[in-house]
Amino acid sequence: MRGFRWALGAVLLAALLLPGSASAASPGLAGWLASRVTGDAVYAHLVGLQRIADANGGTRGYDQPGFAESVRYVSARLRSAGYQVGYQTVPYTDFVVDNETLQAGGLGPIRALMTRFTPSTPPGGLDARLVPLPAGRTGCAAADYEGLGVPGSVVLLARSSCTLQVQQHLATAAGASAVLTYRRTPSPENIYRFIAFDPPDFTVPTASVSEEDGVRLTQLATGAKVHLDLQARNVPSTTVNVIAETAGGDPGHVVLTGGHLDSVTEGPGINDNASAAGTVLQTALSLAARQRDVMNKVRFVFWGAEELGDIGSGYYAAALSPEERGRFTAVLNAELIASPNAVRFVWDTGSGKGHAITELFTRWFTQHGLPYATEPFDAVGSDHLPFHDLGIPVGGLDSGVLGVKTPAQAAEYGGQAGQLFDRCYHQPCDRAEGINRTALAENAPAMAWVLGSLASDASLGRA
């Protein structure tokens, strides 16, 4: 994204880290804060971000005008509440898709989404025989490609237990000229754009289709020809992290709470992840009146380009000096906290100070009679991971991403068994009117209460 300058240089960073009044937190700060971060208050921000997406082609993607307008939305409200707002410019390599065309037999044009950072086809595309993997073959073993006449073909396969990297490597080794893939879900109309996180391992053009179209392609006559044209470019670009923090609190003990502000380029991203970013924003606005009452300094960050692989948070974490790393008491993050078919997962590092954050969440939910389950802290790839890698305590929650709700979970949380937690994940239908407002009303105050507890804690993070 262009048009932002790095205002979080040495001058602003020094201003943000000046010692504040580290007065003891007022009693009940956590409960007071939670009472003001309501589902309705957060939902108002989701409506605002939805309007931004609607005015910008249906997306707030990290490289789209809708993201820049989302940054302005958040910044204006933080300033109005009295915060100093900083911007950290984050360089990254964008993947600009110029064409993604798939035609097969008599099916006509089929929507295909090019896997980011994989090679383009030759100019004008390629024409080749389609080779679907037979039932029972996952594409995760070299033997799955034997006897199919793979050389020179376009291989079609479903995502499986191994990585896309492994599937593509094996298909290429068998001689495939391109790979098409799809994800099996209870919402077969969905189509997901994948990312090659290790681009050198992807040596042929790769794209995804919906499960519906994958089945249609599989049913074509043996030897059916496909035309595949995928054209894209790597382009140097920048995104931005939006940063604000409390005037008070010990700058030697910082609690950071954040959420990514960008959506995927294919949708407005309201559950993923305006639900969390809106909660962070409402928490900041609510805390503004008592921002000098916190014991530990609180920093609010709205990350850029998470959907491209934790770009904003990774850059921020990597830029921290050893001294700066040592100032962090905890990092809170959240993803999709208002899934339509919600469950409740609390992330858990299993031990140490990260586990203490988990116990704060579980205490809140237990006291309010709300069911929850714990899951490993890395079950959801997101912006807390770069901080965990530095040894900083992390915690957070989600209400279900791509998983399918079990009958036991339906009995515990309500909703529909056998369906995705969020059928609109990374889809155009991830809109404000589709989020689960009950889940939002339960999870947003929990995030605020845990933050308030950490901000008031005289011992967490101290020797």
Side-chain angles (χ1 to χ4, degrees):
M1 188 186 65
R2 296 170 178 81
F4 287 91
R5 302 177 64 86
W6 187 12
L8 192 71
V11 174
L12 181 53
L13 183 60
L16 288 175
L17 294 177
L18 284 174
S21 60
S23 59
S26 301
L29 177 64
W32 176 88
L33 187 59
S35 71
R36 284 156 176 78
V37 182
T38 64
D40 288 345
V42 175
Y43 185 72
H45 299 306
L46 305 193
V47 171
L49 293 171
Q50 179 67 64
R51 289 172 178 160
I52 289 172
D54 289 343
N56 290 278
T59 180
R60 299 181 304 101
Y62 54 87
D63 60 347
Q64 302 292 314
F67 176 74
E69 193 169 338
S70 298
V71 168
R72 290 191 286 271
Y73 177 95
V74 167
S75 300
R77 282 149 183 80
L78 290 170
R79 288 195 187 96
S80 294
Y83 290 103
Q84 182 180 12
V85 179
Y87 304 105
Q88 182 184 35
T89 298
V90 179
Y92 74 101
T93 299
D94 200 359
F95 188 76
V96 177
V97 177
D98 297 312
N99 187 45
E100 39 194 10
T101 301
L102 172 62
Q103 295 176 313
L107 298 181
I110 294 173
R111 189 182 183 206
L113 298 181
M114 188 174 181
T115 300
R116 297 193 187 280
F117 303 112
T118 58
S120 296
T121 60
L126 60 84
D127 296 284
R129 190 170 65 92
L130 181 68
V131 174
L133 290 192
R137 299 197 189 189
T138 65
C140 294
D144 291 340
Y145 302 89
E146 293 177 357
L148 301 178
V150 171
S153 72
V154 174
V155 167
L156 172 68
L157 50 80
R159 294 290 299 110
S160 189
S161 56
C162 67
T163 64
L164 177 58
Q165 176 180 329
V166 168
Q167 290 178 311
Q168 189 269 353
H169 173 76
L170 291 171
T172 303
S177 60
V179 171
L180 295 174
T181 186
Y182 59 91
R183 186 187 294 278
R184 292 191 180 99
T185 78
S187 297
E189 70 281 6
N190 284 2
I191 180 171
Y192 302 93
R193 189 185 297 279
F194 300 114
I195 301 177
F197 287 111
D198 195 354
D201 284 345
F202 287 77
T203 57
V204 299
T206 304
S208 56
V209 297
S210 69
E211 182 183 359
E212 283 184 343
D213 285 333
V215 171
R216 294 169 66 214
L217 288 166
T218 300
Q219 293 171 343
L220 288 175
T222 301
K225 298 291 186 179
V226 298
H227 175 76
L228 182 65
D229 190 1
L230 303 173
Q231 305 294 330
R233 298 164 287 129
N234 289 349
V235 178
S237 189
T238 59
T239 187
V240 66
N241 295 325
V242 182
I243 304 169
E245 70 176 21
T246 56
D250 180 359
H253 295 91
V254 177
V255 179
L256 186 154
T257 182
H260 71 83
L261 190 55
D262 62 312
S263 72
V264 292
T265 55
E266 292 74 39
I270 300 303
N271 189 33
D272 181 21
N273 194 35
S275 63
T279 297
V280 174
L281 176 58
Q282 185 58 36
T283 302
L285 301 182
S286 300
L287 186 58
R290 296 179 64 178
Q291 61 176 299
R292 293 188 179 277
D293 293 341
V294 295
M295 179 168 289
N296 300 318
K297 188 169 287 292
V298 178
R299 189 169 300 165
F300 306 95
V301 186
F302 302 84
W303 306 113
E306 187 274 348
E307 295 292 4
L308 205 60
D310 303 342
I311 298 296
S313 56
Y315 184 85
Y316 181 101
L320 295 172
S321 68
E323 178 186 2
E324 289 167 335
R325 296 174 194 173
R327 296 173 182 170
F328 283 93
T329 293
V331 170
L332 292 182
N333 187 36
E335 285 274 4
L336 293 86
I337 63 170
S339 296
N341 199 24
V343 288
R344 186 173 294 105
F345 293 121
V346 179
W347 305 339
D348 192 359
T349 59
S351 61
K353 293 167 183 172
H355 182 66
I357 299 173
T358 304
E359 291 180 331
L360 288 173
F361 277 108
T362 61
R363 185 188 312 169
W364 170 271
F365 292 130
T366 298
Q367 289 175 347
H368 288 79
L370 298 172
Y372 65 86
T374 59
E375 67 179 0
F377 71 94
D378 56 356
V380 176
S382 188
D383 296 299
H384 57 294
L385 298 180
F387 296 94
H388 179 270
D389 291 343
L390 296 177
I392 297 169
V394 300
L397 57 86
D398 69 87
S399 63
V401 186
L402 266 174
V404 176
K405 180 170 280 188
T406 66
Q409 289 169 333
E412 191 168 24
Y413 298 95
Q416 191 172 1
Q419 297 299 313
L420 292 169
F421 298 133
D422 185 358
R423 68 176 185 83
C424 290
Y425 172 71
H426 285 194
Q427 307 301 309
C429 61
D430 184 9
R431 299 179 55 84
E433 59 266 26
I435 62 101
N436 186 327
R437 295 190 64 172
T438 298
L440 184 67
E442 294 170 350
N443 292 331
M447 289 291 297
W449 185 83
V450 171
L451 174 69
S453 298
L454 293 170
S456 308
D457 196 318
S459 60
L460 188 64
R462 291 163 168 77

